[in-house]
């Protein structure tokens, strides 16, 4: 019997596989496609997930930079430009990278960690009981696993076969068009903006709303430029494939003037896509006995602000160590249930964020009035910071980017979390002894930390703080947190000697 089968070899499924492998469980990943997808999809990652990838050593592999993530000076919400430079704690870090690059790095990492990645394997059916899940593949092969995770997208077969509901809303009165384009140098500003004669400048990577729709122009280094429009109240009557001429006609309708762009240059595949309407849905639960959902299989929503992949990857980091602990037998009672308890509310916030942004971007005088009111609220004390944390997917108790002075020199927190093991930071020298019975699953680092007065921190593998020490005598609190999140201690002195040695 297999321990864990993950259905879906996209970024979310691969991230989960990496997390589980780091925790000592090597899952089987079943991917329906025979090779990686090559068509253009997401353009990068935003917010807390960028810091989390840094803490697994993946940020450097994806970005190609050895420098840590840096906060972005601006971002967008509902076609409002957010100035983030005045925030004391700016949570909006960016990792501009095409989804196919992110997926390739995660696949390489999964194989390095010994994950069994099986491409060209399509699931046809599944049945579960209290002890295992039986999976039937399209070719008739049967697999049995202790747990099954559906990371198979918004049309998830795993979700449907497990009987998990997927309530939500469908909106069908708008059409979104996207295409790769080319641009002459004479129309490009030094900041990447696009000069449109008769209109003005379109800033790069920010939505612009007019009374006829929205338009966004994107220019990323080394990438083919992208143009996107959304028009409301124009039912999609097209039955033929989208053309580049259709894209440019839509842009002209939204702005009221021709946009000086041409067809994309170079080898494809190039983006040329028309989508009518959209869905916003959230699974009514993330777990049914031995079946769990991850990423788009659990939640779908508008792509405004790029929250989808951010949300799914953080689902994976939350679930990975908890499922591995359950499989390995040291998980405390109820640990696996905390996946739904912690991640589903985050998805609810993302759903609310994308729906509200869509409402703020629709045409009409009543929306213009709403934008005036919302703009005033955004400019009020704390308004921008609150929205920034919403966009970043900030979750409670996520550990800050600490710099530690240890016996081995100065270390960033990201240097200490690559192994994905629980971590005790003993910042006063009084807590390491209390954690010894958990040394088989908890790492300990002693030293001092810049910019904090706490005496100790216990971090879960997903970088969330499980316990904070405020004095050298808070040993009982530490032991309680170790029990709560990482189970019982080693049972006898001989086991402790083996681990310590």
């Amino acid at each position: 019997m297999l321990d864990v089968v993950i259905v879906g070899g996209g970024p979310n499924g691969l991230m989960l596989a990496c997390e589980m492998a780091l925790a000592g469980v090597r899952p089987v990943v079943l991917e329906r496609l025979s090779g990686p997808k090559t068509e253009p999809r997401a353009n990068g990652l935003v917010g807390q997930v960028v810091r989390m990838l840094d803490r697994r050593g993946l940020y450097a592999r994806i970005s190609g930079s050895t420098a840590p993530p840096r906060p972005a000076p601006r971002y967008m919400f509902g076609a409002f430009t957010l100035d983030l430079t005045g925030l004391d704690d700016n949570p909006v870090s960016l990792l501009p990278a095409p989804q196919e690059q992110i997926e390739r790095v995660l696949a390489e990492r999964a194989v390095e960690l010994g994950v069994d990645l099986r491409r060209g394997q399509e699931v046809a059916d599944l049945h579960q009981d209290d002890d295992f899940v039986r999976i039937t593949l399209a070719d008739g092969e049967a697999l049995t696993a202790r747990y099954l995770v559906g990371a198979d997208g918004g049309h998830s077969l795993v979700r449907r076969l497990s009987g998990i509901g997927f309530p939500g809303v469908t909106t069908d009165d708008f059409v979104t068009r996207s295409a790769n384009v080319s641009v002459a140098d004479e129309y490009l500003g030094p900041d990447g903006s696009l000069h449109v004669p008769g209109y003005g400048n379109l800033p790069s990577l920010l939505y612009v709303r007019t009374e006829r729709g929205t338009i966004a122009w994107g220019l990323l280094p080394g990438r083919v430029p992208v143009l996107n429009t959304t028009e409301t109240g124009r039912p999609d009557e097209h039955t033929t494939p989208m053309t580049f001429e259709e894209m440019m006609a839509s842009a002209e309708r939204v702005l009221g003037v021709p946009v000086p762009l041409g067809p994309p240059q170079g080898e494809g595949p190039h983006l040329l896509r028309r989508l009518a309407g959209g869905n916003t849905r959230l699974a009514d639960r993330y777990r049914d006995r031995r079946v769990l959902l991850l990423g788009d299989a659990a939640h779908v929503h508008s792509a405004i602000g790029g929250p989808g992949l951010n949300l799914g990857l953080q689902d994976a980091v939350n679930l990975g160590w908890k499922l591995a602990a359950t499989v390995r037998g040291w998980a405390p009672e109820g640990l696996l249930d905390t996946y739904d308890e912690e991640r589903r509310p985050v998805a609810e916030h993302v759903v609310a964020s994308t729906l509200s942004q869509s409402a703020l971007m629709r045409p009409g005088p009543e929306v213009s009035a709403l934008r005036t009111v919302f703009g005033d609220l955004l400019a009020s004390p704390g308004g921008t910071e609150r929205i920034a944390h919403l966009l970043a997917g900030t979750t409670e108790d996520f550990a800050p980017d600490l710099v530690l002075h240890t016996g081995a020199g100065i270390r960033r927190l990201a240097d200490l979390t690559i192994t994905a093991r629980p971590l005790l930071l003993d910042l006063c020298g009084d807590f390491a002894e209390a954690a010894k019975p958990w040394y088989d699953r908890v790492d300990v680092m002693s030293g001092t930390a810049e910019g904090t007065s706490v005496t100790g921190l216990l971090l879960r593998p997903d970088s969330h703080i499980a316990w904070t020490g405020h004095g050298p005598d808070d040993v009982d609190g530490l032991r309680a947190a170790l029990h709560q999140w990482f189970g019982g201690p080693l049972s006898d002195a001989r086991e402790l000697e083996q681990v310590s040695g």
Side-chain angles (χ1 to χ4, degrees), residues 139-165:
D139 62 6
E141 182 183 357
L143 303 173
T144 302
R146 296 174 64 185
Y147 289 94
L148 172 68
V149 181
D152 50 341
H155 299 286
S156 171
L157 179 67
V158 171
R159 183 188 63 239
R160 180 168 61 82
L161 292 176
S162 65
I164 297 176

Side-chain angles (χ1 to χ4, degrees), residues 202-455:
L202 284 180
S204 180
L205 302 175
L206 296 173
Y207 286 103
V208 171
R209 173 189 176 270
T210 74
E211 288 297 340
R212 296 168 296 276
T214 61
I215 187 167
W217 144 262
L219 182 63
L220 293 170
R223 304 285 305 283
V224 181
V226 177
L227 185 68
N228 171 279
T229 63
T230 298
E231 295 179 85
T232 301
R234 299 183 61 90
D236 187 16
E237 299 173 353
H238 296 275
T239 58
T240 58
M242 180 176 157
T243 64
F244 186 78
E245 290 72 23
E246 180 185 331
M247 177 78 256
M248 300 313 300
S250 175
E252 183 172 350
R253 286 193 298 269
V254 172
L255 278 189
V257 296
V259 180
L261 297 171
Q265 300 176 353
E267 296 184 3
H270 290 128
L271 176 64
L272 189 62
R273 182 173 61 209
R274 179 202 313 123
L275 297 174
N279 287 297
T280 299
R281 300 189 179 277
L282 178 60
D284 56 25
R285 60 193 188 281
Y286 282 14
R287 179 187 180 190
D288 180 69
R289 292 173 290 170
R290 292 183 173 268
V291 174
L292 300 106
L293 301 180
L294 174 70
D296 288 354
H299 41 71
V300 295
H301 40 73
S302 168
I304 295 173
L309 196 52
N310 305 323
L311 185 60
L313 291 175
Q314 291 193 91
D315 288 346
V317 175
N318 185 288
L319 176 59
W321 71 275
K322 295 174 181 178
L323 185 52
T326 303
V327 168
R328 296 186 66 190
W330 60 258
E333 184 177 356
L335 179 65
L336 195 54
D337 291 329
T338 66
Y339 168 59
D340 181 288
E341 294 167 1
E342 293 181 350
R343 293 306 300 171
R344 197 172 180 281
V346 178
E348 290 175 343
H349 280 94
V350 170
V351 165
S353 169
T354 56
L355 286 173
S356 62
Q357 290 187 73
S358 296
L360 285 165
M361 294 169 68
R362 294 174 73 89
E366 69 281 6
V367 177
S368 296
L370 176 63
R371 290 179 63 84
T372 298
V373 174
F374 185 84
D376 291 340
L377 293 173
L378 196 61
S380 64
T384 295
E385 184 173 11
R386 187 179 183 90
I387 294 297
H389 281 285
L390 178 64
L391 290 167
T394 303
T395 51
E396 188 177 1
D397 294 328
F398 187 78
D401 291 322
L402 297 172
V403 175
L404 298 107
H405 296 261
T406 74
I410 299 176
R411 309 285 295 277
R412 294 174 57 229
L413 180 60
D415 300 327
L416 306 175
T417 55
I418 290 177
T419 61
R421 283 170 57 85
L423 175 66
L424 172 63
L425 299 178
D426 184 358
L427 304 179
C428 67
D430 293 307
F431 298 121
E433 185 69 24
K436 271 190 175 181
W438 284 269
Y439 274 14
D440 62 320
R441 70 206 79 152
V442 178
D443 290 338
V444 176
M445 176 60 66
S446 298
T448 59
E450 296 179 9
T452 181
S453 60
V454 303
T455 56

Side-chain angles (χ1 to χ4, degrees), residues 439-494:
Y439 274 14
D440 62 320
R441 70 206 79 152
V442 178
D443 290 338
V444 176
M445 176 60 66
S446 298
T448 59
E450 296 179 9
T452 181
S453 60
V454 303
T455 56
L457 287 174
L458 178 64
L459 304 185
R460 304 184 332 187
D462 55 10
S463 273
H464 285 73
I465 299 172
W467 165 86
T468 302
H470 295 286
D473 57 348
D474 194 12
V475 174
D476 290 342
L478 171 60
R479 289 198 183 101
L482 288 164
H483 273 280
Q484 177 185 354
W485 292 107
F486 311 125
L490 291 171
S491 59
D492 58 45
R494 184 170 60 181

Side-chain angles (χ1 to χ4, degrees), residues 1-287:
M1 181 185 297
L2 301 170
D3 285 324
V4 176
V5 169
I6 301 170
V7 179
N12 297 322
L14 291 169
M15 187 72 190
L16 176 63
C18 290
E19 291 294 294
M20 296 203 69
L22 286 168
V25 175
R26 289 175 173 79
V28 171
V29 179
L30 304 177
E31 168 53 45
R32 179 178 57 85
L33 299 177
S34 58
K37 292 181 179 179
T38 57
E39 69 272 18
R41 290 171 287 164
N43 292 311
L45 300 169
V46 181
Q48 184 172 289
V49 70
V50 177
R51 297 162 68 190
M52 193 64 240
L53 290 177
D54 182 41
R55 294 179 187 183
R56 292 294 188 264
L58 294 168
Y59 174 83
R61 293 178 67 156
I62 295 171
S63 68
S65 170
T66 57
R70 292 285 183 262
R74 64 177 185 173
Y75 203 60
M76 55 187 173
F77 183 90
F80 286 90
T81 299
L82 302 179
D83 182 359
L84 307 174
T85 56
L87 299 185
D88 293 333
D89 177 22
N90 179 359
V92 182
S93 299
L94 302 181
L95 175 51
Q99 183 168 329
E100 56 267 29
Q101 179 182 346
I102 297 170
E103 186 171 321
R104 182 177 67 252
V105 169
L106 290 173
E108 291 170 352
R109 180 58 172 155
V111 172
E112 289 172 7
L113 293 170
V115 170
D116 185 356
L117 175 56
R118 305 181 187 180
R119 298 192 181 273
Q121 300 289 303
E122 184 172 2
V123 173
D125 200 3
L126 67 88
H127 296 278
Q128 66 166 319
D129 60 22
D130 292 337
D131 300 315
F132 62 84
V133 184
R134 185 173 178 83
I135 306 125
T136 303
L137 302 182
D139 62 6
E141 182 183 357
L143 303 173
T144 302
R146 296 174 64 185
Y147 289 94
L148 172 68
V149 181
D152 50 341
H155 299 286
S156 171
L157 179 67
V158 171
R159 183 188 63 239
R160 180 168 61 82
L161 292 176
S162 65
I164 297 176
F166 204 41
V169 297
T170 297
T171 308
D172 57 8
D173 68 341
F174 66 91
V175 181
T176 299
R177 296 175 176 88
S178 304
N180 285 129
V181 296
S182 62
V183 59
D185 290 344
E186 62 187 287
Y187 296 108
L188 278 178
D191 58 353
S193 62
L194 174 68
H195 178 67
V196 181
Y199 173 81
N201 291 334
L202 284 180
S204 180
L205 302 175
L206 296 173
Y207 286 103
V208 171
R209 173 189 176 270
T210 74
E211 288 297 340
R212 296 168 296 276
T214 61
I215 187 167
W217 144 262
L219 182 63
L220 293 170
R223 304 285 305 283
V224 181
V226 177
L227 185 68
N228 171 279
T229 63
T230 298
E231 295 179 85
T232 301
R234 299 183 61 90
D236 187 16
E237 299 173 353
H238 296 275
T239 58
T240 58
M242 180 176 157
T243 64
F244 186 78
E245 290 72 23
E246 180 185 331
M247 177 78 256
M248 300 313 300
S250 175
E252 183 172 350
R253 286 193 298 269
V254 172
L255 278 189
V257 296
V259 180
L261 297 171
Q265 300 176 353
E267 296 184 3
H270 290 128
L271 176 64
L272 189 62
R273 182 173 61 209
R274 179 202 313 123
L275 297 174
N279 287 297
T280 299
R281 300 189 179 277
L282 178 60
D284 56 25
R285 60 193 188 281
Y286 282 14
R287 179 187 180 190

